[in-house]
Amino acid sequence: MGISGLFGEPAWDILLDVYIAQKSRREIQVSSVCIEAGVPSTTILRWLARLEQEGLIYRASDNVDGRRRYVRLTEAGNALMDRVLDALNVCE
């Protein structure tokens, strides 16, 4: 997918939301990603699958409630977000 494929799509919203949650040491549920992005859940689930396929995120089950799933960045996803946000700081 490449960085240019992320902007203007729900993928960027997802990655940014998960990145902020992780930096704040919070977990973010799949259902919360759907709400925060403001697009239909089917669209978010399709983008989550694509981002997972690209190796940028992964979904993990809750140890207490198996129905609950969390979205987390992989090392590659975190590195990508660090690079993108660092590049944006240069432009300011």
Side-chain angles (χ1 to χ4, degrees), residues 10-49:
W12 173 247
D13 294 332
I14 294 167
L15 290 171
L16 189 57
D17 200 19
V18 176
Y19 181 83
I20 290 168
Q22 284 187 201
K23 291 297 181 186
S24 301
R25 300 192 189 290
R26 290 184 297 113
E27 294 278 9
I28 187 163
Q29 295 180 39
V30 170
S31 57
S32 295
V33 172
C34 295
I35 293 168
E36 292 295 322
V39 295
S41 60
T42 54
T43 302
I44 292 300
L45 294 173
R46 189 170 48 250
W47 275 103
L48 287 173

Side-chain angles (χ1 to χ4, degrees), residues 45-58:
L45 294 173
R46 189 170 48 250
W47 275 103
L48 287 173
R50 184 170 176 186
L51 292 169
E52 198 166 26
Q53 183 179 10
E54 295 287 336
L56 298 174
I57 65 153
Y58 67 99

Side-chain angles (χ1 to χ4, degrees), residues 1-8 11-12 15 56 79-81 83-84 87:
M1 169 176 7
I3 294 173
S4 63
L6 299 178
F7 294 100
W12 173 247
L15 290 171
L56 298 174
L80 171 68
M81 292 304 291
R83 284 193 313 272
V84 169

